[in-house]
Amino acid sequence: MQLGARLLEPKRFLTRIRMLSLFLFGSLLMVLFVLCSSEQARAQESFSKTNRSDQAIPGITEPVDPITAVVTIGVDSERPYRRAESWVPLIVELTNHKEAVKGELVVKMKDGSVRYSTPIDLPTKAKKTYDLTVFFPPTLDELEFHVQIGRIQIPVETVTVATTYAETDRFIAVISDERGSHEHLAHNQEEETVDLFRRVIYTTPSLLPKYSIAYQNLDVLIWDGGQTTIINPEQEKALESWIQMGGTLVLAAGERWQELNDSPFRLYIPQTLDGSRVLNAGTQLINPEESELPVLNSSIVIATGELLDDAKIKVLLKADDDPFLVERKWGAGRIVYVASSISNNLFANPIRNRIFNEYLTQSFLPLSARVVGRLDESTTGFLRWMIQAELPGTWFIAIYLGCYILLVVPINYIVFRMLGRLEWAWFTVPIWAIIFAYGAYYIGALRQQGQVSVNEISIVEARSSANAAQSTTFCSVYSPMRKRYTFNFDNPAAFPQIPTVYTGRRNTIPDKQLFIQYANTGPQVDNFLIHHWSQEILRTQHESDLGKGVDIDLKWQGDNIVGNVTNNTGQILLDPTIYIKDKKFNLASINDGETLPINHEILKMRNFNNNQGNPPMRFQGNYQRYNHRDPAKFIQENLKDTYAYEFFAEFPSLGMAVLSARLNKPQLPFSINNNPNINLKGDALLCQVFSLKKTMHGRIILKQDAWTLLDSGIRPGGQGRIMPIQGRVGGGYGGGMVVYGMQQGRRFEQGQFHIQPNDEWNWDFASDISLTGGKIESFSIKPNYAAMGFQNSSGRNALKYQLVNGKPADNEYGIFIQDLYNQTFYPISDITDAEGNVINPGRYIDKITNVISARIKAPPNRDIRIGINSFDIRLQINYGTETSGKFLGYYVDAVEEDAALAKKSKTNLDAVQ
């Protein structure tokens, strides 16, 4: 009875009821979990059993997966290729061996931060092809492919991605039925690495990208009798945009001229095609403006016809009266038409063949992804600061807190003491705290926006006369509430990423999940979470319309820059600025349709590095000087100079220039949750890259003051590239400035860096003078040991510092330069002759970027100092005469050693080792 009474006591009874309820609820959850898991497992097993058969399929002796995939990365099914930080097309061919499947094809990155998908519908025993465009970060080497049906995910393929290539490599895509037929267009065909600089890949029209952004890895596209299957309108539009932005399309007619005339490329042919004829071996082709005439090596068939009436068409070679080689300007790009096939070398003279192949495949340097990538931090930082609510003033906060303290302590005490209810103060204090906390929250809420807000800053990168540009838009989306959003990027198609922030040698991997889906409406981001009173930033790449573009016709004339800038963009170029390496000069705003004549002396230009020899300030977490949170002011005062600084850190040459101007309208309209009428604000920075070359003639000697020393930021262990260290010591071609900066722990003292004992570091020597078009006759680079800190000494530290016969006493010290043909660093002493000149210097000097890559190793017992004065450099280059010896614009004697000499040089190097 007592036990029953205790059990029925109210407190004990309620406690046991709660415990029993929790036990039953937990048991129910566990049963449900087991049932769901079993059901999912049975569904997976059922799907596998249904779609996997132990019975042999005709022609296959082993069981097969229900769905198999064949993946093509890029436009070559056998040779994957890519540059770092670029968008690459993927073609996935799915074969369904069993019952019909409807779901999604999912591509996952190895790091898991982004997922790409596209809807699939595979009937029974069907085969379909799906295409996506995927961004490849520098460190990515693996992709996982899945088919997702409801909640079931079936792995179908894992692909290891090839290593990235240098940005100075040129990729030549050939539409040809025969692989290997155009390997002579690659550099140094007799070398083991035949296509190190010009890499030849093979494709078909069906593999061409349908978005222009996916052409980031291609420089030249060649049709030479390949397939003429019809490409769809999306592919045609992407091809057109790519050429307009600076691509090169080569069309070779020959005996298959009728197929070319019926192909999708007929729009670009600069002449009518109405027949063909044979040119016999020994036929001499005529150049209307040059005396160097090539002779055919063998008989060939050429297409015949009449040139179109177009002022942009230029005939470079003729066979009697028939055009043989024709160039047609097309926006910033060009169309090259050859009347014959180019599957073999055409001319008897190997030098002319080299020049002809170089002409066909020449292209602009690709716009480096690293330049815009280094603007992520400052641009995203400004966008985040723009939308932040302004805090109340200091005096307001002080008065508000003072009122709370007065009310809670003295006033509360006095009032209840007078009422004789002092104990009530214990209840009212928390009530006052809640009221004041809510008041503070409400005051803060009044300062927050109450609707979705979108702000944009775009960086539009273009080339002269292009009517389209490659743009990077940073989109800041603010949400007043916690919500998931879907962003549709369809007109123009835009490709989103989470911005990365570069810190030193590495960039932070974003922890935000990004789900990108490709559908008929274009790319879209699904279920993107933005928290209450928060904003998120997407970095998108897309194409921008520039009307008829900006036509820039500027060149060096002595120490002056002369020419014209014509604006045909349909927009006003606000406050444009022209940058050359470390100088800039400002222009007046240019209206649409207006031409601005320019005659500017370099000595009157201003430094754009804050006039102190220092780089523009990066984001420091404080944008208070932009009082009105005005992106126009940020672009004008910060982003313009920073872009130029980063650009010339990558391409440090007086042969390159940048025109920057602000555009006062958003570049990327898009919809949020299917609502295109969003509150969108934005400004853009147009950065137009163009050549500003000085015509060079005769023999020139480039000495120490004509070179810039750059920290390549690459340790021999390979940890990626950091921001190069600009500058020079001394004067030299185009003026000079002092070396500056402190990078990666390298001490900075009087224009020099210290390398610690037994440490190694990679450095680049870059010339201001463009080396293309000239023949390098001799090259030497010798260490200046005294400038490095070595000295004649005696006593206890004699071996540590002493120079013996002008060299360090120890043998551990070394200077190496990189052989560009096999990417190997060789000691200078092993590749020089008795006079100290480098053997076959063309192997070590990148004439595209005017750069020599060197590696410095410090002795094990002391540090050394590195600066431009630490080396004695001498390069002798011959640009030929002004009037004679020219073929297709090249000085014939300027061509580097032929393949046989290069092969001989390689044999000598192997013998040295």
Side-chain angles (χ1 to χ4, degrees):
M1 292 293 291
Q2 292 179 355
L3 177 62
R6 284 199 302 268
L7 288 175
L8 292 175
E9 289 178 5
K11 291 185 177 180
R12 292 179 181 271
F13 181 74
L14 291 175
T15 300
R16 281 161 177 73
I17 290 295
R18 291 192 191 99
M19 293 177 62
L20 180 61
S21 300
L22 289 173
F23 174 75
L24 292 175
F25 183 70
S27 301
L28 179 61
L29 287 178
M30 183 173 292
V31 171
L32 291 174
F33 175 77
V34 171
L35 289 175
C36 290
S37 300
S38 302
E39 183 64 26
Q40 187 170 357
R42 281 196 296 271
Q44 178 76 38
E45 183 179 0
S46 173
F47 182 85
S48 299
K49 286 181 179 179
T50 305
N51 289 275
R52 181 186 292 274
S53 174
D54 291 333
Q55 298 178 355
I57 295 176
I60 301 178
T61 58
E62 296 182 359
V64 297
D65 293 327
I67 299 175
T68 56
V70 177
V71 180
T72 300
I73 300 176
V75 299
D76 191 331
S77 59
E78 297 184 19
R79 187 178 293 182
Y81 66 96
R82 67 184 176 103
R83 292 187 176 104
E85 300 183 60
S86 62
W87 290 87
V88 178
L90 295 183
I91 306 294
V92 184
E93 182 185 82
L94 293 180
T95 303
N96 181 19
H97 299 281
K98 283 295 179 178
E99 66 181 18
V101 172
K102 184 176 288 187
E104 286 187 328
L105 170 65
V106 178
V107 183
K108 290 184 178 180
M109 295 292 175
K110 188 176 181 180
D111 60 16
S113 62
V114 63
R115 186 190 74 177
Y116 301 88
S117 67
T118 187
I120 63 171
D121 186 0
L122 283 173
T124 303
K125 294 187 178 180
K127 180 186 293 185
K128 283 188 178 182
T129 298
Y130 300 91
D131 57 277
L132 304 95
T133 305
V134 175
F135 179 77
F136 282 78
T139 57
L140 178 70
D141 60 2
E142 194 171 273
L143 294 175
E144 297 177 353
F145 294 81
H146 302 262
V147 169
Q148 185 159 335
I149 305 169
R151 299 174 64 181
I152 301 172
Q153 211 171 66
I154 308 163
V156 294
E157 187 64 274
T158 299
V159 176
T160 300
V161 184
T163 306
T164 57
Y165 301 115
E167 292 196 14
T168 52
D169 289 351
R170 282 175 282 175
F171 294 98
I172 315 301
V174 181
I175 301 174
S176 176
D177 297 330
E178 183 181 351
R179 296 190 69 89
S181 59
H182 291 74
E183 292 298 329
H184 63 283
L185 297 177
H187 270 127
N188 301 291
Q189 58 197 15
E190 295 184 24
E191 292 288 326
E192 293 179 4
T193 51
V194 309
D195 53 358
L196 183 60
F197 302 112
R198 287 201 301 263
R199 300 177 181 268
V200 178
I201 57 181
Y202 296 88
T203 188
T204 61
S206 61
L207 294 179
L208 294 180
K210 68 176 185 178
Y211 296 115
S212 61
I213 196 171
Y215 275 95
Q216 287 181 341
N217 292 279
L218 287 185
D219 298 279
V220 179
L221 180 66
I222 298 175
W223 186 92
D224 189 11
Q227 299 180 29
T228 56
T229 53
I230 297 176
I231 61 178
N232 61 50
E234 289 178 316
Q235 291 174 309
E236 291 183 1
K237 182 180 177 181
L239 176 64
E240 167 74 13
S241 296
W242 171 69
I243 299 172
Q244 285 282 354
M245 287 189 284
T248 295
L249 175 65
V250 178
L251 303 175
E255 59 187 9
R256 300 179 67 173
W257 62 272
Q258 289 177 314
E259 296 176 44
L260 174 60
N261 206 31
D262 295 333
S263 75
F265 306 116
R266 64 184 177 274
L267 168 68
Y268 305 103
I269 304 173
Q271 70 174 55
T272 60
L273 298 180
D274 55 19
S276 64
R277 69 185 183 96
V278 176
L279 296 182
N280 296 321
T283 300
Q284 190 178 64
L285 301 180
I286 302 169
N287 187 314
E289 299 177 359
E290 296 174 347
S291 58
E292 287 287 331
L293 306 180
V295 176
L296 293 178
N297 185 43
S298 59
S299 297
I300 58 173
V301 176
I302 66 168
T304 59
E306 296 293 330
L307 287 175
L308 301 179
D309 185 13
D310 186 345
K312 296 182 179 180
I313 292 176
K314 183 178 182 181
V315 178
L316 301 175
L317 289 175
K318 296 178 68 175
D320 299 325
D321 292 329
D322 291 315
F324 182 85
L325 179 64
V326 182
E327 181 178 272
R328 186 182 193 182
K329 294 296 183 183
W330 201 277
R334 63 189 185 122
I335 309 298
V336 177
Y337 166 77
V338 186
S340 73
S341 172
I342 55 173
S343 59
N344 295 294
N345 284 322
L346 296 178
F347 307 123
N349 187 313
I351 298 297
R352 287 172 178 78
N353 280 321
R354 284 200 161 207
I355 293 176
F356 184 75
N357 293 341
E358 183 70 34
Y359 168 78
L360 292 180
T361 56
Q362 70 183 0
S363 62
F364 284 100
L365 280 173
L367 294 169
S368 175
R370 288 194 291 261
V371 175
V372 176
R374 294 194 188 108
L375 304 180
D376 280 9
E377 185 176 4
S378 58
T379 308
T380 57
F382 181 79
L383 285 170
R384 292 187 191 281
W385 177 79
M386 264 185 66
I387 205 69
Q388 289 174 2
E390 295 187 16
L391 294 175
T394 304
W395 282 108
F396 177 85
I397 296 174
I399 293 172
Y400 189 82
L401 290 176
C403 290
Y404 170 73
I405 294 172
L406 287 173
L407 183 63
V408 168
V409 182
I411 295 177
N412 202 44
Y413 174 78
I414 293 171
V415 169
F416 288 110
R417 183 177 179 180
M418 292 174 61
L419 294 175
R421 296 290 185 178
L422 194 58
E423 66 276 9
W424 287 10
W426 292 101
F427 297 99
T428 56
V429 167
I431 294 174
W432 289 124
I434 292 172
I435 292 173
F436 271 82
Y438 179 78
Y441 175 83
Y442 182 75
I443 292 170
L446 289 177
R447 295 173 178 270
Q448 299 286 349
Q449 295 189 36
Q451 60 181 356
V452 175
S453 177
V454 181
N455 290 279
E456 291 184 353
I457 291 180
S458 298
I459 300 169
V460 182
E461 297 180 286
R463 296 188 174 96
S464 183
S465 300
N467 66 5
Q470 176 180 300
S471 299
T472 301
T473 296
F474 296 88
C475 305
S476 166
V477 182
Y478 165 84
S479 175
M481 63 184 71
R482 186 182 188 276
K483 189 175 180 180
R484 293 187 178 273
Y485 294 90
T486 296
F487 306 128
N488 294 91
F489 302 101
D490 51 4
N491 188 24
F495 300 84
Q497 310 161 240
I498 300 294
T500 54
V501 178
Y502 286 78
T503 55
R505 291 182 203 147
R506 66 189 71 180
N507 55 293
T508 60
I509 298 175
D511 57 358
K512 189 80 174 177
Q513 294 290 316
L514 196 63
F515 304 104
I516 301 174
Q517 185 175 67
Y518 290 92
N520 294 332
T521 57
Q524 75 177 35
V525 174
D526 292 331
N527 296 320
F528 193 71
L529 177 62
I530 304 179
H531 292 279
H532 180 57
W533 288 347
S534 298
Q535 63 175 319
E536 294 290 344
I537 296 178
L538 290 177
R539 179 182 190 264
T540 60
Q541 286 193 293
H542 58 95
E543 182 182 316
S544 289
D545 181 18
L546 289 181
K548 295 183 180 180
V550 181
D551 185 17
I552 301 177
D553 181 20
L554 298 177
K555 62 181 179 180
W556 284 107
Q557 193 174 85
D559 284 333
N560 288 4
I561 296 176
V562 299
N564 298 301
V565 176
T566 303
N567 175 22
N568 291 311
T569 62
Q571 305 176 61
I572 301 175
L573 302 185
L574 299 167
D575 303 315
T577 303
I578 289 181
Y579 296 86
I580 57 164
K581 199 159 185 226
D582 60 329
K583 300 284 187 180
K584 73 175 183 179
F585 60 98
N586 299 322
L587 307 175
S589 295
I590 308 175
N591 295 319
D592 181 44
E594 183 180 354
T595 297
L596 182 66
I598 293 174
N599 187 341
H600 207 95
E601 186 179 350
I602 188 173
L603 297 178
K604 295 180 180 178
M605 298 180 191
R606 297 186 296 113
N607 288 338
F608 68 87
N609 291 331
N610 295 337
N611 297 318
Q612 300 293 328
N614 295 314
M617 292 297 292
R618 287 169 160 263
F619 172 55
Q620 302 296 323
N622 181 10
Y623 286 108
Q624 299 301 324
R625 64 194 181 100
Y626 302 105
N627 297 326
H628 302 290
R629 301 176 186 252
D630 183 3
K633 201 162 191 175
F634 168 73
I635 290 173
Q636 192 67 29
E637 298 183 4
N638 182 299
L639 203 57
K640 286 175 67 174
D641 283 3
T642 307
Y643 180 91
Y645 165 72
E646 299 291 0
F647 178 84
F648 289 107
E650 288 292 321
F651 307 110
S653 169
L654 282 177
M656 304 294 289
V658 176
L659 171 70
S660 290
R662 185 172 62 85
L663 307 175
N664 62 346
K665 74 173 187 178
Q667 296 296 305
L668 181 61
F670 62 97
S671 64
I672 298 179
N673 293 342
N674 295 319
N675 177 21
N677 301 314
I678 57 176
N679 181 22
L680 174 61
K681 301 176 183 178
D683 282 66
L685 175 65
L686 172 65
C687 301
Q688 184 147 316
V689 179
F690 61 98
S691 298
L692 186 63
K693 294 187 177 179
K694 193 171 188 175
T695 304
M696 311 294 288
H697 300 296
R699 182 176 286 108
I700 296 176
I701 298 176
L702 306 184
K703 294 186 178 180
Q704 185 170 331
D705 60 356
W707 297 87
T708 298
L709 178 64
L710 304 178
D711 178 358
S712 72
I714 303 176
R715 295 291 299 271
Q719 298 184 31
R721 186 184 182 94
I722 63 170
M723 181 176 63
I725 296 175
Q726 275 274 46
R728 84 165 66 247
V729 174
Y733 183 86
M737 62 183 180
V738 297
V739 181
Y740 58 76
M742 179 176 179
Q743 295 280 24
Q744 304 304 313
R746 290 297 184 253
R747 284 205 318 274
F748 170 66
E749 287 183 9
Q750 299 177 352
Q752 293 184 331
F753 289 84
H754 286 239
I755 299 182
Q756 304 302 319
N758 215 27
D759 198 3
E760 295 182 351
W761 200 260
N762 287 6
W763 303 85
D764 290 340
F765 297 95
S767 170
D768 283 342
I769 299 177
S770 176
L771 303 180
T772 55
K775 177 180 174 61
I776 298 172
E777 296 181 332
S778 65
F779 166 60
S780 65
I781 176 171
K782 300 175 182 178
N784 183 344
Y785 295 110
M788 292 182 183
F790 291 92
Q791 55 189 319
N792 294 316
S793 62
S794 59
R796 187 174 180 180
N797 293 324
L799 292 179
K800 184 175 180 180
Y801 294 99
Q802 190 175 7
L803 295 175
V804 178
N805 296 324
K807 297 182 179 180
D810 59 75
N811 295 319
E812 297 297 325
Y813 170 77
I815 300 180
F816 309 79
I817 59 175
Q818 187 180 45
D819 186 329
L820 300 175
Y821 291 77
N822 56 26
Q823 304 293 296
T824 301
F825 283 89
Y826 291 105
I828 290 181
S829 57
D830 290 352
I831 56 175
T832 52
D833 56 23
E835 298 179 355
N837 292 320
V838 174
I839 302 170
N840 196 358
R843 297 178 66 93
Y844 307 94
I845 303 172
D846 188 342
K847 295 175 72 174
I848 299 175
T849 56
N850 315 328
V851 166
I852 303 163
S853 295
R855 176 175 294 170
I856 317 298
K857 180 179 179 181
N861 55 358
R862 62 154 298 161
D863 63 353
I864 58 176
R865 297 195 298 268
I866 296 298
I868 194 65
N869 287 325
S870 303
F871 307 93
D872 296 322
I873 303 175
R874 187 181 188 279
L875 185 144
Q876 183 169 298
I877 183 169
N878 192 341
Y879 293 91
T881 63
E882 185 175 357
T883 56
S884 63
K886 295 280 186 178
F887 175 51
L888 298 181
Y890 289 80
Y891 173 48
V892 174
D893 291 338
V895 179
E896 297 298 333
E897 294 85 349
D898 60 17
L901 181 56
K903 189 172 183 179
K904 180 180 178 182
S905 176
K906 183 178 185 300
T907 303
N908 291 341
L909 288 177
D910 292 339
V912 167
Q913 297 180 66

